[in-house]
Amino acid sequence: MLKKIVIFFGGIIVIVLLLTLYFKNEVKEEKIYHIMDQMRLTLDSQLKSHEMDDLKIALLLSKNEALVNALENDDEDLGYKILEDITQDIEKNTGMRIRAQVITKELNIFARSWDDIYAGMPIGDYRLDLQYFYTHTNPRTSVEIGRRLGIKATVPVYKNGNFLGFVEVISFFKSMTDFFSSMGVDLYVLLDVKHTDTAVLMMQNLTVDNYVLANRNYNYAHIQTLNHIDFKELKLNGVVYADEKYIFYENMKDGSGTIIGAFVFVLPKRYLDYFRNPEDDISFLINVTRSGLYDVVKEEKYENNIYKDYSAKSMVYLQDVIDKEERQLFFDEAYEKFDKYSKDELIQMMLNRKIVKKIDGKIK
């Protein structure tokens, strides 16, 4: 009789444990899918916010009488000076770095705020999205392919009813990547490799599956994981688990609604507890408990970057001797450091640079 009682209660304990494990897994799975949904909503919100910010500036520039007159008179030097002055004032007073350019109606570069080298260069072959304006007069902002993938806010410019060209503001994905990184989520902006014939400035970027990586400030440690997962499964399910990381997928579309790539998020499992449970707060992704997470993410990011202690000037000299497998990591850190300098300061660095070459073989 005692034996039967022991077996009975033992069975109950096992059932309770199994049910507990089952419901725990169910709650965890619900949390994962809720995180996926919230990340998609947050991505959409971030994209719209950046698009609207860029569009506001592009609209203001398109109404700048001096800039419009310079375009009408084909005065490229004046156009460059106006763009440079305005964008430098914006950066000085707000900290926002603006990349603005003016394009002629013949689809040639008229002026760009960040350099005056490519004035007159035709870009029609790289900017098929501009065909939209053959039949539309309203401004448009969206993720578009050019020589680089980016968010492009494009405003047609008219004077007295005559079409002169376009003013546009271009931004890339640095601030968005930083935003997600502060929550322990790494964002990878991936362009389908079939578009690299157009996105020629991305041809040497890292590739992941059948995609080329567009954003620069990512966590290099996750690239190996992305290169070994089944992207067909990821696209089908929206999420996969590999190497103790949750990987989420969202289609990337251009302004015409065509799928041109993907946004992929990587959330290490160890960060999962920093996110609130769905039943606690419907907007739990935005309200991540960041008190410890931000420091953990920041510390890990710096630990994985062997070039963080080098100055920008030092990196100018290092570029010739970096091993092939470390070049992307080096370029990412160099980009972050050089981005803080003006064009004149960068030119001065290059003029002072001594050529350093890597010599292979034996010294005779």
Side-chain angles (χ1 to χ4, degrees), residues 126 130 164 215 249 300:
Y126 307 107
L130 293 176
L164 301 179
N215 57 324
Y249 180 96
E300 181 184 76

Side-chain angles (χ1 to χ4, degrees), residues 47-105:
L47 282 172
K48 287 180 178 177
S49 176
H50 283 81
E51 288 172 356
M52 288 302 101
D53 286 345
D54 290 349
L55 181 58
K56 290 173 187 176
I57 296 172
L59 285 167
L60 289 173
L61 289 173
S62 73
K63 301 301 181 183
N64 184 288
E65 185 176 355
L67 185 59
V68 173
N69 288 338
L71 176 60
E72 182 182 34
N73 298 323
D74 199 28
D75 192 337
E76 296 169 345
D77 291 336
L78 179 59
Y80 166 69
K81 186 71 170 81
I82 293 170
L83 282 182
E84 183 186 42
D85 287 347
I86 293 174
T87 54
Q88 284 186 354
D89 278 346
I90 292 174
E91 182 174 3
K92 179 181 178 181
N93 290 286
T94 69
M96 295 172 57
R97 186 179 183 192
I98 305 299
R99 288 178 175 267
Q101 69 178 10
V102 180
I103 303 169
T104 68
K105 62 182 179 182

Side-chain angles (χ1 to χ4, degrees), residues 29-200:
E29 184 175 344
E30 181 185 357
K31 184 175 183 178
I32 293 300
Y33 279 99
H34 197 68
I35 289 174
M36 179 175 69
D37 291 340
Q38 290 297 312
M39 274 199 285
R40 287 173 172 172
L41 290 172
T42 305
L43 171 66
D44 186 60
S45 175
Q46 284 285 300
L47 282 172
K48 287 180 178 177
S49 176
H50 283 81
E51 288 172 356
M52 288 302 101
D53 286 345
D54 290 349
L55 181 58
K56 290 173 187 176
I57 296 172
L59 285 167
L60 289 173
L61 289 173
S62 73
K63 301 301 181 183
N64 184 288
E65 185 176 355
L67 185 59
V68 173
N69 288 338
L71 176 60
E72 182 182 34
N73 298 323
D74 199 28
D75 192 337
E76 296 169 345
D77 291 336
L78 179 59
Y80 166 69
K81 186 71 170 81
I82 293 170
L83 282 182
E84 183 186 42
D85 287 347
I86 293 174
T87 54
Q88 284 186 354
D89 278 346
I90 292 174
E91 182 174 3
K92 179 181 178 181
N93 290 286
T94 69
M96 295 172 57
R97 186 179 183 192
I98 305 299
R99 288 178 175 267
Q101 69 178 10
V102 180
I103 303 169
T104 68
K105 62 182 179 182
E106 294 81 17
L107 303 186
N108 301 323
I109 292 177
F110 173 72
R112 304 196 301 187
S113 64
W114 63 96
D115 67 51
D116 58 353
I117 299 173
Y118 295 100
M121 186 183 81
I123 62 170
D125 291 341
Y126 307 107
R127 294 296 305 278
L128 299 181
D129 59 293
L130 293 176
Q131 295 177 6
Y132 167 85
F133 295 98
Y134 291 165
T135 55
H136 297 78
T137 59
N138 57 297
R140 186 168 82 158
T141 177
S142 53
V143 176
E144 297 292 349
I145 303 168
R147 293 193 302 161
R148 279 181 66 186
L149 181 72
I151 299 171
K152 298 176 172 65
T154 308
V155 179
V157 177
Y158 293 86
K159 183 176 180 181
N160 298 325
N162 296 318
F163 173 59
L164 301 179
F166 308 93
V167 169
E168 66 179 12
V169 172
I170 303 172
S171 60
F172 301 108
F173 303 96
K174 181 181 184 303
S175 59
M176 285 177 52
T177 309
D178 288 341
F179 174 83
F180 282 101
S181 180
S182 70
M183 298 186 296
V185 179
D186 285 289
L187 171 65
Y188 296 83
V189 183
L190 304 177
L191 178 68
D192 195 309
V193 292
K194 68 183 180 183
H195 296 300
T196 51
D197 287 344
T198 300
V200 292

